[in-house]
């Protein structure tokens, strides 16, 4: 498997290099008076697609307003109320697990049960879960599964084992620090009524956004991601699950073989395999799930590195299947290709610069200015992204225009500091087998998102708008 992924990545980079070389040296775009860098075309594709998604959002808002103006709010009575099993994986979660269980047991839904999977915790988690088992012994809805000592670690492995101990028609996954309102299931389950819909993802929020600059940037980043995901859902693109606050039909899980235990990004991997099997995923932009943001830079880099490597491996493993699958819509295929271009942009920038540097050494003086233009592509991309980020922040928080611009600036700087170097390192790591093999890495929780916490009221997403 590892060798196959390296070969595919090498071929992808080789094709990218040939395309860049053709644009730089042979294409009709390169004239004496006009010499745009090859990376500019990748930038324009990504930005135009983001503009297309935002246009879809504005068009949908206009339709909603017109319907309300003509006929009033139209509602349809939902008759789809399947049995639900809530799964909460837990490993060393003594600081948050009690409040998360209390939240789950307070959900307002006619038929559901809760299973907490203790993945051999070494702190006070087992004692807390034992106490909770006694407290809810008469409810018949709460169970604790303690895994064997020799069991393999990893969220996908935990979820697959948990699946054999629950009977719900719909599986809901919460992280151990998750927090939702009691009506969470009543507002998300109806989105699964369509037979073609396999899963639903709620909008994720950062509960400790006011802690420092890093958590605030994550909060704005989540608002941006929520905007893009909801727009992808509108155009029937490749909407993705995000782990915490996700709902998946058992039938769909069975169709794709459950969670992939070789993946460290279980949610992204599952999303792609569901799309390949012809299923759709909905995004519930007006239903929220709170979780903690990471408070220090090193831990944030470690988490984003795992996300980036898992996402790259997913593309390498499944992109061919997605592009040539007959039951995957053209819009979904285009959506995935654009996301791959966005993912590979940092490396394209380096390859573009390498081609131009070779031209300079060969004696082409015109490329010196061209190299400066190529270096300007990264900040240019960020500048073009800012209007979409501003729309996302304003959509979910309704701040002033100046606050939206400041928030968009924060996210832009944050992406430059975190995402660009992480993606570049991950590509090199996969290609040349650098560093240690990637494994599932638990994020430490400190108890910011809980039912007993006074949740902030001035954070991105604190009001359900959009």
């Amino acid at each position: 498997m590892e060798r196959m992924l390296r070969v595919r990545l090498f071929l992808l980079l080789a094709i990218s290099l040939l395309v860049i070389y053709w644009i730089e040296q042979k294409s009709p775009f390169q004239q004496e008076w006009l010499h745009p860098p090859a990376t500019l075309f990748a930038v324009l594709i990504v930005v135009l697609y983001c503009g297309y998604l935002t246009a879809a959002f504005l068009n949908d808002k206009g339709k909603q307003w017109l319907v309300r103006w003509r006929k009033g709010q139209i509602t349809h009575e939902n008759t789809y109320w399947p049995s639900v099993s809530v799964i909460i994986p837990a490993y060393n979660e003594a600081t948050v697990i009690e409040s998360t269980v209390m939240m789950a047991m307070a959900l307002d839904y006619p038929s559901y049960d809760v299973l907490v999977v203790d993945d051999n915790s070494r702190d006070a988690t087992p004692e807390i879960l034992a106490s909770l088992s006694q407290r809810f012994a008469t409810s018949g809805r709460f169970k604790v599964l303690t895994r064997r000592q020799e069991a393999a670690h990893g969220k996908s492995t935990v979820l697959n084992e948990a699946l054999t101990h629950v009977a719900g028609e719909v599986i809901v996954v919460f992280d151990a620090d998750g927090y939702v309102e009691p009506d969470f299931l009543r507002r998300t389950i109806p989105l699964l009524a369509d037979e073609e819909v396999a899963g639903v993802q709620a909008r994720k929020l950062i509960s400790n956004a006011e802690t420092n600059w890093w958590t605030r940037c994550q909060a704005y980043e989540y608002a941006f991601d929520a905007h893009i995901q909801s727009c992808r859902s509108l155009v029937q693109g490749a909407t993705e699950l995000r782990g915490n606050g996700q709902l998946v039909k058992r039938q769909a899980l069975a169709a794709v073989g459950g969670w992939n235990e070789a993946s460290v990004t279980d949610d992204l991997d599952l999303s792609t395999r569901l799309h390949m099997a012809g299923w759709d995923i909905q995004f519930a932009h007006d239903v929220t799930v709170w979780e903690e943001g990471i408070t220090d830079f090193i831990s944030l880099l470690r988490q984003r590195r795992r996300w980036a490597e898992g996402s790259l491996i997913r593309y390498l493993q499944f992109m061919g299947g997605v592009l040539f699958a007959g039951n995957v819509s053209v819009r979904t295929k285009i959506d995935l290709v654009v996301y791959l271009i966005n993912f590979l942009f940092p490396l394209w920038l380096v390859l573009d610069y390498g081609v131009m540097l070779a031209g300079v050494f060969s004696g082409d003086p015109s490329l010196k200015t061209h190299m400066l233009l190529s270096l300007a592509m990264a900040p240019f991309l960020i500048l073009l992204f800012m209007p979409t980020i501003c729309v996302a922040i304003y959509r979910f928080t309704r701040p002033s225009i100046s606050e939206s611009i400041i928030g968009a600036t924060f996210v832009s700087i944050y992406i430059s500091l975190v995402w660009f170097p992480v993606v570049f390192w991950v590509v090199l790591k996969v290609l040349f087998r650098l560093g240690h093999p990637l494994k599932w890495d638990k994020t430490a929780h400190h108890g910011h998102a809980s039912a007993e916490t006074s949740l902030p009221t001035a954070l991105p997403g604190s009001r359900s708008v959009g």
Side-chain angles (χ1 to χ4, degrees):
M1 174 66 74
E2 181 182 354
R3 182 178 181 181
M4 179 268 291
L5 293 177
R6 291 175 62 208
V7 170
R8 289 186 179 181
L9 180 57
F10 177 81
L11 291 175
L12 181 61
L13 295 179
I15 293 172
S16 298
L17 187 60
L18 289 175
V19 171
I20 290 172
Y21 177 79
W22 180 81
I23 293 176
E24 294 287 0
Q25 303 292 335
K26 306 295 183 181
S27 77
F29 300 111
Q30 307 297 351
Q31 305 293 334
E32 183 176 350
W33 55 275
L34 178 65
H35 206 167
T39 319
L40 176 63
F41 295 94
V43 169
L44 292 178
I45 290 173
V46 174
V47 171
L48 286 174
Y49 191 70
C50 282
Y52 164 66
L53 294 179
T54 300
F57 159 67
L58 295 175
N59 179 61
D60 182 68
K61 292 294 290 182
K63 289 180 178 179
Q64 291 180 24
W65 179 87
L66 189 60
V67 167
R68 288 194 298 267
W69 180 71
R70 286 180 173 176
K71 304 177 182 179
Q73 187 66 42
I74 298 178
T75 59
H76 300 279
E77 183 179 355
N78 179 60
T79 59
Y80 178 72
W81 300 113
S83 60
V84 171
S85 290
V86 176
I87 300 176
I88 306 173
Y91 175 66
N92 292 344
E93 301 288 6
T95 57
V96 295
I97 192 61
E98 181 175 2
S99 58
T100 303
V101 168
M102 297 298 292
M103 172 274 297
M105 294 299 291
L107 291 171
D108 177 21
Y109 192 75
S111 175
Y112 81 99
D113 56 84
V114 177
L115 174 67
V116 179
V117 185
D118 178 17
D119 196 12
N120 291 301
S121 299
R122 299 179 181 179
D123 62 357
T125 299
E127 290 77 14
I128 295 173
L129 291 177
S131 175
L132 290 169
S133 294
Q134 292 182 353
R135 182 185 305 183
F136 296 114
T138 60
S139 70
R141 293 192 290 110
F142 180 72
K143 295 185 295 184
V144 174
L145 170 64
T146 301
R147 304 190 73 214
R148 303 182 310 276
Q149 290 290 336
E150 65 274 13
H153 285 283
K155 188 175 180 181
S156 294
T157 306
V158 170
L159 291 173
N160 279 332
E161 183 174 345
L163 195 58
T164 64
H165 292 267
V166 295
E169 300 169 77
V170 172
I171 307 301
V172 179
V173 179
F174 291 126
D175 286 348
D177 66 329
Y179 174 78
V180 298
E181 297 293 338
D183 62 353
F184 178 86
L185 293 177
R186 288 191 176 274
R187 298 177 66 191
T188 52
I189 288 295
L191 296 176
L192 289 168
D194 191 325
E195 293 183 354
E196 297 182 355
V197 176
V200 173
Q201 176 61 52
R203 178 161 56 98
K204 295 171 64 174
L205 307 177
I206 298 294
S207 61
N208 58 333
E210 294 180 329
T211 300
N212 57 30
W213 190 81
W214 297 114
T215 56
R216 181 164 290 277
C217 284
Q218 289 170 74
Y220 288 132
E221 178 192 25
Y222 275 27
F224 178 52
D225 179 69
H227 174 68
I228 296 298
Q229 288 298 315
S230 65
C231 293
R232 294 173 87 182
S233 185
L234 282 174
V235 300
Q236 296 182 340
T239 312
E240 297 171 332
L241 300 170
R242 287 289 184 256
N244 190 19
Q246 70 179 22
L247 300 83
V248 189
K249 289 178 179 175
R250 177 183 287 272
Q251 175 189 2
L253 283 170
V256 298
W259 283 273
N260 180 5
E261 297 183 8
S263 173
V264 294
T265 50
D266 55 279
D267 45 5
L268 300 180
D269 181 277
L270 178 60
S271 301
T272 303
R273 289 186 293 119
L274 287 172
H275 285 300
M276 288 175 60
W279 293 89
D280 190 20
I281 297 174
Q282 294 290 311
F283 185 81
H285 72 272
D286 58 346
V287 185
T288 58
V289 54
W290 295 82
E291 67 181 32
E292 288 183 51
I294 295 177
T295 57
D296 66 279
F297 182 62
I298 299 302
S299 298
L300 185 62
L301 279 180
R302 187 180 300 116
Q303 183 193 64
R304 294 310 196 262
R305 177 179 64 87
R306 177 171 64 84
W307 289 1
E309 188 165 345
S311 188
L312 176 60
I313 291 173
R314 169 189 59 150
Y315 281 124
L316 295 175
Q317 188 173 358
F318 299 124
M319 182 56 72
V322 171
L323 292 178
F324 298 107
N327 55 352
V328 179
S329 69
V330 174
R331 283 177 290 191
T332 300
K333 293 178 181 180
I334 293 174
D335 185 276
L336 284 170
V337 169
V338 172
Y339 259 68
L340 178 61
I341 292 174
N342 181 42
F343 189 87
L344 291 179
F345 176 79
L347 200 70
W348 263 58
L349 192 63
V350 174
L351 291 175
D352 189 17
Y353 197 67
V355 169
M356 290 183 293
L357 193 61
V360 171
F361 286 142
S362 67
D364 187 350
S366 66
L367 286 176
K368 292 181 180 179
T369 303
H370 186 43
M371 289 171 67
L372 296 177
L373 290 175
S374 184
L375 284 177
M377 285 299 100
F380 181 59
L381 173 64
I382 292 171
L383 184 64
L384 291 178
F385 263 138
M386 283 188 65
T388 303
I389 299 174
C390 284
V391 170
I393 293 174
Y394 182 78
R395 174 184 179 183
F396 291 122
T397 65
R398 295 292 192 266
S400 65
I401 295 178
S402 61
E403 289 173 335
S404 297
I405 294 174
I406 292 173
T409 303
F410 277 172
V411 173
S412 301
I413 297 173
Y414 164 82
I415 291 175
S416 301
L417 292 176
V418 176
W419 191 244
F420 275 48
V422 162
V423 168
F424 183 66
W425 161 250
V426 162
V427 171
L428 294 180
K429 179 187 175 185
V430 173
L431 191 61
F432 299 108
R433 291 190 292 188
L434 302 176
H436 300 289
L438 188 64
K439 62 180 181 179
W440 182 77
D441 188 19
K442 176 187 178 301
T443 302
H445 299 141
H446 306 285
H448 294 289
S450 70
E452 298 173 0
T453 300
S454 178
L455 295 176
T457 58
L459 302 180
S462 58
R463 292 182 293 276
S464 294
V465 295

